[in-house]
Amino acid sequence: SVLLWETALYRDGEKYGFTSKIFIPPAPVAVTSSAFMLEFGWDGPALEDRPLAYILPLPPIRTILNFTVTYRTNVMGLRHMLGIALETLTPVPIGGEVRILAPQGFSFEERCSLASVPGEPPAPTRVNCRALPTYAPDGTKDGTALSILPTTAPLEGGRLAFSILVRNPPESRTSRGGQMTSCRYEQCWFVEATDAAGVDTDAGSTTPGFAINPPMPEAKLLDLDYYERLATGRN
């Protein structure tokens, strides 16, 4: 966006300013500089017609970035270690929480524990973890809220990664893209970070979920006769 002023006279030693309503994007914009640029004579054809310019860097947008959910298995009903990673800008104070909303059907231990993920920063230790069901307005269960709560020190801003024991939903489901959801897939995971008053410390984020598959109906080694065993090197 560009703001334009008509030709005017500006005096040395005077302070000029203006106010304007702006829209803050939900995430950092990667296709342009994160700064305001002020130019005098910006459309001038020659350098002498463009005497002054100034760049004002902007503070980072306070939002959760790079939120991902990974899995060891997506077979229905199986237990495995679910991987969760995200990046915050603002520390989460004692009394606040990082809250992850899982789709319906995933089952966590109510008093959960966090494990480190290889190649990632160590999982936070001075926190409590709890998992509680969430409910739709009609009272039906519609998911699980996984809360990470700082206990003795704020949860510092930066990369947060951990794995947690989960049981997949007991029924199969798809997670196709191109949907009218916040993550553009059928299954979405959400994350938010709040202070003790429930006010967002960083804007929330969402990431696509994964399909849940039924188990393979049957698998076995075929019976081989004497000659087939010799031909394939089997004993």
Side-chain angles (χ1 to χ4, degrees):
S1 298
V2 177
L3 295 177
L4 298 177
W5 284 267
E6 296 180 356
T7 301
L9 177 64
Y10 297 95
R11 295 185 174 87
D12 290 342
E14 291 289 340
K15 181 180 289 186
Y16 298 92
F18 68 93
T19 60
S20 176
K21 291 183 178 180
I22 62 171
F23 170 76
I24 299 177
V29 179
V31 296
T32 186
S33 300
S34 182
F36 285 123
M37 287 168 280
L38 176 65
E39 296 182 71
F40 286 83
W42 74 279
D43 58 349
L47 186 61
E48 57 267 21
D49 299 322
R50 306 168 67 178
L52 297 173
Y54 183 78
I55 297 178
L56 177 64
L58 297 177
I61 295 175
R62 289 169 48 185
T63 186
I64 296 174
L65 299 173
N66 300 322
F67 176 41
T68 59
V69 175
T70 57
Y71 57 90
R72 297 270 184 92
T73 177
N74 66 337
V75 175
M76 64 186 198
L78 292 188
R79 300 179 73 188
H80 63 106
M81 297 301 289
L82 188 79
I84 296 176
L86 56 106
E87 293 180 27
T88 60
L89 180 68
T90 309
V92 178
I94 296 175
E97 65 175 319
V98 173
R99 192 167 186 255
I100 298 161
L101 302 179
Q104 183 178 3
F106 287 91
S107 177
F108 300 86
E109 296 177 344
E110 182 175 343
R111 294 185 178 275
C112 39
S113 58
L114 309 182
S116 295
V117 177
E120 294 280 5
T125 55
R126 293 182 293 181
V127 297
N128 286 334
C129 175
R130 69 183 184 199
L132 297 173
T134 60
Y135 297 91
D138 62 1
T140 59
K141 184 178 177 181
D142 65 353
T144 301
L146 186 66
S147 295
I148 313 300
L149 304 106
T151 53
T152 59
L155 191 59
E156 295 298 327
R159 181 77 170 172
L160 173 64
F162 58 88
S163 60
I164 184 170
L165 186 63
V166 66
R167 185 182 295 278
N168 285 338
E171 71 286 334
S172 62
R173 63 178 64 161
T174 59
S175 188
R176 299 185 180 94
Q179 309 298 313
M180 297 297 292
T181 62
S182 59
C183 69
R184 305 302 183 190
Y185 282 76
E186 291 178 295
Q187 309 296 328
C188 297
W189 293 67
F190 302 89
V191 64
E192 58 186 2
T194 60
D195 61 17
V199 178
D200 288 345
T201 53
D202 290 325
S205 184
T206 181
T207 192
F210 51 91
I212 300 298
N213 294 335
M216 186 181 297
E218 184 179 6
K220 69 174 185 177
L221 294 175
L222 297 177
D223 294 328
L224 303 179
D225 61 27
Y226 175 77
Y227 296 102
E228 290 170 331
R229 288 200 303 272
L230 291 180
T232 57
R234 298 269 299 278
N235 55 26

